[in-house]
Amino acid sequence: MSALEPRDAEADADMAAGVARRPGSLAPHDVGTVSTVNSVSAVDTADSVVTKGSVLDPAHRALSIGIVSVVLLIAFEATAVGTAMPVAARELNGVSAYAFAFSAYFTTSLFGMVLAGQWSDRSGPLASLTAGMSAFAAGLLLSGTAGTMWLFVLGRAVQGLGGGLVIVALYVVVSRAYAEHLRPAIMAAFAASWVVPSVVGPLASGTITEHLGWRWVFVGIPALVVFPLALALPAIRRTASGPADPQAPVAPWDRRRIGLALAISAGAGLLQYAGQELRWLSLIPAAAGVALLVPAVRGLLPRGTVRAARGLPSVILLRGIAAGSFIAAESFVPLMLVTQRGLSVTLAGLSLAVGGLTWALGSWIQARPWTEPYRERLVVLGMVLVALAIAAAPSVLITAVPVWVVAAAWAVGCLGMGAVISSTSVLLLQLSAPEEAGANSAALQISDGLSNVLLLAVGGAAFAALGGGAVGHAVTSHAATGSHPTAFAAVFLPMAGVAAAGAWVATRLQADRARA
């Protein structure tokens, strides 16, 4: 699945339910300027004295249904595409570039998020949301009609740009169109939108892939864009269009921040390309990628993040470690089950379905008031569960191990991730002064997305180096090939080690928090 959006939506819902909000701290994943996060719209001012109403009252009904439908569509796409990906990679002779098909989405979404934040500051979220949904649909069509793997990857990159524009715009809509007492309900609706697709998406995608072909999974989803946009756009135009303060001068574009975001995206893409090619000449794009990434990371992440300084830097680092290790491993689960154990794409996708429920359970547990004194311990435990789940998954490469072990392991891992991802978002707000919420939230999202790209690059390079491109001869059949199991082990076991290191980082969250 595309881990950047589903996991963040659930995390934000739990923050809304379990943390006393400060004004302006609604959108922790808005990576625009601080003015977007701290702005108080006219709608908020007018509604601040109102304690009645709901997200489905006449004033909000069309908007609520529309934006929740947008999240539901993104959630369904994330789960459906992950199921169809093994077949797509096999038919396009691109199994060796399998990781690139996932990381391309995350790479361009980083830039899209920064762009959307500033775009929404200047003219409101309407244009960003419209452009994002259009790019999202165009990317799906491009991937669904691709004749080569690299054209398929290009479509995923276009789709990621759209996804980044959309997710930030949605949070800006919520901050402007809903009074503070209604925001937890709409954020909870965002989180709930991921549960049903987690169960239904793999089944629907697998059935379509087996009977109609994988391309229909991609080209069919854009048709679903029309309904949510038809509902949401008019409502957004009425309630959340224009700059946050119409009387204030239009804020200038922060060219430096956009440049740093572009450098991160380009640098991550170059490193991913170098990892897939595995030639001596690949050292050139690898060096160029590092040259772009190092100053950009230093400029966008708090000082001390890389060395796990106590407090906020470790919170931001842990978010990246957790998301990157888990998503890099999860991306290879369906491919492993299809090629090594002969499962159909439907059953392989369903092996991850229970995880949507346990992820929500983990998020719910961390939001209970009685867990607050033990939050750091809960995060450590969550990372241990994640590490164990990733380490247990490749055990199915041994034919004597039943395939349901993967489903059970992934349910446990998702339980840990639900607690960790939500808790890092909660801790971020607790450790951030109101005037720092925007910049710190941007750093959290960048750490999340960048680690996805980098760890997918590492996993993909190891997979390709150990013969991963040769697997998949029976992707479209029900017969396992049994070839190159070490290629999969080379992905899962290092990611389990990264997750275990995250358990150590989780012990460094408390000191600065006590001094804050």
Side-chain angles (χ1 to χ4, degrees), residues 104-105 135-136 138-144 146 149-161:
Y105 183 101
F136 190 80
L140 283 166
L141 289 174
L142 182 57
S143 291
M149 189 61 178
W150 290 111
L151 192 58
F152 180 89
V153 169
L154 176 62
R156 292 285 290 165
V158 174
Q159 188 185 344
L161 176 64

Side-chain angles (χ1 to χ4, degrees), residues 109-147:
S109 68
L110 289 171
F111 179 72
M113 290 169 191
V114 176
L115 183 63
Q118 296 203 34
W119 197 352
S120 297
D121 273 349
R122 290 172 56 84
S123 58
L126 184 64
S128 177
L129 181 63
T130 304
M133 291 299 289
S134 300
F136 190 80
L140 283 166
L141 289 174
L142 182 57
S143 291
T145 56

Side-chain angles (χ1 to χ4, degrees), residues 461-499:
F463 183 74
L466 293 174
V471 307
H473 296 296
V475 169
T476 55
S477 72
H478 291 180
T481 67
S483 60
H484 300 288
T486 54
F488 289 98
V491 174
F492 286 97
L493 297 182
M495 296 308 151
V498 172

Side-chain angles (χ1 to χ4, degrees), residues 152-454:
F152 180 89
V153 169
L154 176 62
R156 292 285 290 165
V158 174
Q159 188 185 344
L161 176 64
L165 291 172
V166 167
I167 195 64
V168 171
L170 285 178
Y171 286 121
V172 176
V173 169
V174 172
S175 69
R176 294 189 182 189
Y178 294 86
E180 187 171 354
H181 72 283
L182 295 179
R183 292 170 182 169
I186 194 65
M187 298 302 291
F190 282 3
S193 297
W194 285 92
V195 175
V196 173
S198 294
V199 178
V200 176
L203 178 61
S205 176
T207 302
I208 292 171
T209 299
E210 289 184 15
H211 293 90
L212 297 177
W214 65 267
R215 295 183 184 275
W216 286 100
V217 175
F218 289 84
V219 301
I221 293 177
L224 304 178
V225 170
V226 177
F227 171 73
L229 287 184
L231 277 177
L233 294 185
I236 293 173
R237 187 176 291 109
R238 290 193 305 269
T239 60
S241 62
D245 185 357
Q247 305 302 321
V250 177
W253 289 95
D254 188 343
R255 298 179 184 274
R256 176 180 176 275
R257 188 172 184 81
I258 291 178
L260 291 174
L262 185 60
I264 273 189
S265 296
L270 286 169
L271 283 179
Q272 178 72 20
Y273 175 78
Q276 291 296 317
E277 288 300 306
L278 298 178
R279 297 181 299 172
W280 284 109
L281 288 178
S282 299
L283 292 175
I284 297 175
V290 171
L292 288 170
L293 275 178
V294 171
V297 169
R298 290 172 61 89
L300 293 174
L301 298 184
R303 182 176 299 177
T305 299
V306 175
R307 57 183 173 84
R310 290 188 176 274
L312 182 66
S314 285
V315 171
I316 290 173
L317 177 62
L318 178 62
R319 178 60 167 262
I321 288 174
S325 60
F326 190 80
I327 296 304
E330 185 180 62
S331 300
F332 284 85
V333 169
L335 184 67
M336 179 176 64
L337 293 177
V338 169
T339 61
Q340 304 302 295
R341 295 303 297 266
L343 266 66
S344 67
V345 290
T346 303
L347 290 177
L350 284 174
S351 68
L352 305 177
V354 178
L357 300 176
T358 56
W359 189 299
L361 176 61
S363 297
W364 180 85
I365 290 173
Q366 70 80 36
R368 300 308 92 200
W370 58 266
T371 65
E372 185 58 35
Y374 310 102
R375 184 170 299 280
E376 284 76 16
R377 296 180 185 178
L378 180 64
V379 173
V380 173
L381 176 60
M383 287 308 303
V384 170
L385 293 179
V386 171
L388 291 175
I390 296 175
S395 65
V396 299
L397 294 169
I398 303 171
T399 56
V401 176
V403 292
W404 58 260
V405 168
V406 170
W410 229 245
V412 171
C414 284
L415 178 67
M417 285 292 289
V420 171
I421 295 299
S422 296
S423 290
T424 52
S425 298
V426 170
L427 288 168
L428 179 90
L429 292 181
Q430 291 178 349
L431 292 167
S432 298
E435 66 273 12
E436 298 173 340
N440 291 343
S441 298
L444 189 77
Q445 187 77 335
I446 289 169
S447 177
D448 190 318
L450 181 61
S451 67
N452 286 335
V453 175
L454 294 182

